[in-house]
Amino acid sequence: MTVWRKSSYSGSSGDCVEIGHGVGVRDSKAPATHLSVSAEAWSAFLSTIKKTAPHR
């Protein structure tokens, strides 16, 4: 069983992105379906987001 955690950017709404360690990414509205992501792709994604996203 994978433990999914909600994105910190989702706030208190029920509509959010969830991340499952070693599994991928899913939409909380469709939890039975997820997008598999390799560790390398996830690291590249996070690196890009950190460089381009506005700071809160």
Side-chain angles (χ1 to χ4, degrees):
M1 183 172 126
T2 299
V3 176
W4 293 90
R5 69 178 180 92
K6 185 170 87 165
S7 168
S8 61
Y9 285 89
S10 296
S12 61
S13 91
D15 299 334
C16 59
V17 172
E18 296 176 324
I19 303 157
H21 181 70
V23 175
V25 180
R26 72 180 184 182
D27 183 336
S28 64
K29 294 177 288 196
T33 305
H34 72 273
L35 174 65
S36 295
V37 181
S38 71
E40 295 80 15
W42 186 248
S43 292
F45 171 75
L46 291 179
S47 178
T48 301
I49 293 300
K50 289 176 183 176
K51 291 176 188 173
T52 60
H55 298 284
R56 339 191 254 171

